[in-house]
């Protein structure tokens, strides 16, 4: 029997999403990086270690994810990973597009990282490469095979949008064949690159619910743990904001530290790193939005991606939008 659950917010654990640079070799249509807001710096290894140390007291309960841009473009990713391991972070993940620059698989071992996570946004080259760029599909698949052959635990992220949801049903067989250990379904965020696009990237509630849970079940039946965002609350479910009840940090090279990923297109970060110290910002910031209660659920969702919300004849929302950090998960026995 498979274990199905909602992954509840918990103060007993935290997630540190650490963007060590914003440079990338790709220009994905739905990339959330906004260099005007996140910076163009590539952090040096000394700064990376100093910033990691700011979270040292929570390290045993913190899942650390190295991100970019493309983190393997950083020449010192390997020593950064080893430093994080020595600091005792609960888990360490590298998020990559699959190109695996600087021979990263030759410089770290499966004992250094818990997961190497690959991003693939289509079951075919035609769909994936239309979103991520020509040749990305083949590079990602080759990268996965190399990592699996070397004994690394691997995960895959598929960001569902109107451009690729039609191929999601093809993924169960593919990830099983590749030897993927975990599969993450994400929902496209209307921020960064996609904020300037038309809203046909967004998926309706009906299509999401008729597609995603079914495919998640099929992937779990192959023996792979699958996680996906709840997105839409059921009637009677209470909205909770991770900015209040959870412990997540989104760190960018310019020193901004957000608690909510939907806020990242704006200078409303609740924390910042200045002179290697983590300090609260004193101007109006994202934390002011976390406590607001609206019929739609998430205030930031209402502000930045209102296409997710539909309204009835009385003008009231037909459903509440869940916090994007609230996940559903199926764990095979």
């Amino acid at each position: 029997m498979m274990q199905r659950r909602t992954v509840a917010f918990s103060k007993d654990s935290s997630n540190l999403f650490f963007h060590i640079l914003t440079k990338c070799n790709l220009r994905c249509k739905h990339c959330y990086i906004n260099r005007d807001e996140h910076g163009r710096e590539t952090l040096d290894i000394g700064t990376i270690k100093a910033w990691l140390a700011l979270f040292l007291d929570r390290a045993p309960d913190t899942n650390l994810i190295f991100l970019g841009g493309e983190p393997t473009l950083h020449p010192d990713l390997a020593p950064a990973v080893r430093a994080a391991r020595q600091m005792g972070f609960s888990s360490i993940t590298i998020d990559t597009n699959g190109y695996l620059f600087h021979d990263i698989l030759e410089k770290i071992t499966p004992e250094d990282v818990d997961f190497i996570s690959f991003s693939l946004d289509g079951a075919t080259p035609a769909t994936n490469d239309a979103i991520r760029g020509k040749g990305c599909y083949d590079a990602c698949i080759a990268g996965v095979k190399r990592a699996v052959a070397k004994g690394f635990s691997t995960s895959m992220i598929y960001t569902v949008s109107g451009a690729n949801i039609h191929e999601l049903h093809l993924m169960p067989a593919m990830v099983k064949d590749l030897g993927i250990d975990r599969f993450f379904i994400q929902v496209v965020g209307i921020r960064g690159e996609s904020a300037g696009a038309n809203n046909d990237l967004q998926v309706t509630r009906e299509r999401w619910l008729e597609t995603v849970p079914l495919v998640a079940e099929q992937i779990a039946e192959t023996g792979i743990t699958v996680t996906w965002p709840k997105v839409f609350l059921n009637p009677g479910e209470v909205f909770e904001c991770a900015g209040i009840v959870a412990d997540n940090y989104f760190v960018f090279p310019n020193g901004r530290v957000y608690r909510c990923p939907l806020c990242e297109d704006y200078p409303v970060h609740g924390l910042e790193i200045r002179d290697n110290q983590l300090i609260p910002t004193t101007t109006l910031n994202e934390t002011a939005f976390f406590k607001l209660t609206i019929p739609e659920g998430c205030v930031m969702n209402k502000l930045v991606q209102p296409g997710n919300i539909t309204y009835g004849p009385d003008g009231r929302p037909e459903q509440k939008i869940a916090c994007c950090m609230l996940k559903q998960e199926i764990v095979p026995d």
Side-chain angles (χ1 to χ4, degrees), residues 90-105:
S90 177
S91 71
I92 300 172
T93 297
I94 296 172
D95 267 12
T96 179
N97 58 30
Y99 281 80
L100 300 171
F101 293 100
H102 290 106
D103 297 318
I104 187 62
L105 295 186

Side-chain angles (χ1 to χ4, degrees), residues 73-96:
L73 282 171
H74 198 297
D76 290 324
L77 177 58
V81 165
R82 288 192 289 270
R85 182 59 85 199
Q86 291 175 353
M87 291 180 186
F89 281 89
S90 177
S91 71
I92 300 172
T93 297
I94 296 172
D95 267 12
T96 179

Side-chain angles (χ1 to χ4, degrees), residues 25-43:
N25 59 308
L26 304 181
R27 288 294 179 267
C28 302
K29 290 183 178 180
H30 62 310
C31 179
Y32 63 85
I33 292 297
N34 181 334
R35 291 173 182 82
D36 289 338
E37 300 296 338
H38 303 154
R40 292 174 169 79
E41 300 91 336
T42 294
L43 299 177

Side-chain angles (χ1 to χ4, degrees), residues 153-167:
S153 295
T154 57
S155 59
M156 181 171 285
I157 300 172
Y158 191 109
T159 300
V160 169
S161 71
N164 64 11
I165 192 170
H166 65 286
E167 287 193 353

Side-chain angles (χ1 to χ4, degrees), residues 162-185:
N164 64 11
I165 192 170
H166 65 286
E167 287 193 353
L168 186 61
H169 73 284
L170 299 174
M171 295 306 294
M174 176 184 291
V175 295
K176 177 65 174 178
D177 183 62
L178 287 171
I180 295 290
D181 297 290
R182 293 181 61 99
F183 190 75
F184 293 89
I185 301 172

